[in-house]
């Protein structure tokens, strides 16, 4: 999160320093809105919000008027949620003109591309995305960083040469993270038996993990929600199953 905040600050500086709107608005304090895909208490938001506001606040002489919102898309996946969230932002910030919007994640970037003309017309966008199929947004710059899940599994194989089976823990079934894992882990299938413990209720998942066979490893992706649609803090749940 800290590295992402530093990198996004560079992108934001490049994007706004050459814009005529930024030059014309030197006399007033700049304002920035950050949209997170995760809930407010997620580690990315806790660390990112702290570092983002610190770095941005230290840039201009008068600091930054800093705002952040949290979409919590893992728990709020209703099809009409984005429309309701758009209406909330429209009401909350109807008197506010942002100098930049930072989209922290694929869903915030998709949201911005969908509602930009209404909410952020003409505002520069800085984004952090994890997939190459992210929306193409005008007057925008950002970072695309696909998680290197296969590198971790390769390291596990080197540290445990007799490894035979891997049990991948991903909470709710068919999440974006699980889809990335399945694609990246496919080359390992010739030498490892890989099972995906997804879509299970927490109690059943924990029972499976408590009885893993010898020469196996548990690969924890993330558990925001289990197969019974119960919600969890991913880091707290990692402690629980460990």
């Amino acid at each position: 999160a800290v590295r992402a905040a530093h990198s996004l600050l560079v992108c934001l500086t490049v994007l706004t320093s050459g814009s005529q709107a930024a030059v014309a608005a030197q006399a007033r304090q700049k304002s920035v809105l950050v949209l997170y895909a995760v809930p407010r208490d997620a580690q990315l938001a806790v660390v990112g919000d702290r570092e983002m506001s610190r770095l941005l606040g230290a840039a201009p002489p008068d600091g930054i008027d800093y705002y952040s919102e949290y979409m919590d898309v893992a728990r709020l996946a209703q099809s009409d949620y984005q429309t309701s969230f758009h209406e909330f932002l429209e009401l909350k910030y109807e008197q506010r003109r942002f100098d930049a919007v930072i989209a922290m994640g694929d869903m915030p970037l998709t949201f911005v591309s969908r509602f930009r003309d209404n909410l952020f017309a003409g505002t520069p966008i800085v984004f952090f995305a994890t997939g190459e199929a992210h929306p193409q947004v005008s007057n925008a710059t950002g970072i695309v960083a696909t998680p290197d899940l296969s590198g971790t599994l390769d390291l596990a194989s080197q540290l445990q040469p007799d490894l035979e089976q891997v049990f991948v823990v991903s909470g709710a079934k068919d999440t974006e993270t699980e889809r990335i894992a399945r694609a990246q882990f496919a080359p390992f299938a010739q030498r490892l038996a890989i099972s995906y413990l997804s879509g299970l209720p927490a109690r059943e998942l924990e029972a499976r993990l408590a009885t893993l066979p010898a020469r196996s490893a548990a690969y924890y992706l993330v558990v925001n929600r289990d197969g019974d649609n119960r919600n969890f803090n991913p880091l707290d749940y990692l402690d629980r199953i460990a």
Side-chain angles (χ1 to χ4, degrees), residues 33-147:
L33 172 65
V34 183
L35 297 178
Y36 288 94
V38 296
R40 184 184 298 271
D41 61 350
Q43 194 68 6
L44 174 65
V46 172
V47 176
D49 227 21
R50 182 190 68 216
E51 293 301 312
M52 198 83 71
S53 58
R54 180 182 66 83
L55 291 167
L56 291 173
D62 296 326
I64 287 285
D65 192 13
Y66 181 88
Y67 298 82
S68 55
E69 299 289 347
Y70 309 87
M71 297 183 69
D72 197 0
V73 295
R75 294 188 294 180
L76 304 172
Q78 301 93 323
S79 59
D80 59 349
Y81 170 61
Q82 284 196 29
T83 301
S84 299
F85 188 68
H86 154 258
E87 293 170 352
F88 163 71
L89 293 184
E90 186 178 33
L91 177 63
K92 183 174 181 178
Y93 298 116
E94 62 179 347
Q95 302 299 325
R96 175 67 53 186
R97 171 69 165 81
F98 291 106
D99 293 282
V101 173
I102 300 177
M104 289 292 290
D106 297 335
M107 186 56 72
L109 181 57
T110 300
F111 174 83
V112 168
S113 68
R114 180 181 176 187
F115 296 106
R116 181 180 189 177
D117 289 344
N118 190 10
L119 291 175
F120 315 118
T123 302
I125 306 298
V126 179
F127 64 85
F128 173 76
T130 59
E132 294 184 359
H134 61 275
Q136 299 300 310
V137 183
S138 62
N139 195 22
T141 186
I143 302 166
V144 179
T146 302

Side-chain angles (χ1 to χ4, degrees), residues 130 145-154 180-181 184-185 188 219 221:
T130 59
T146 302
D148 181 16
L149 305 179
S150 61
T152 302
L153 187 55
D154 184 57
I180 294 173
Q184 293 192 12
F185 293 169
F188 293 87
Y219 194 122
L221 292 177

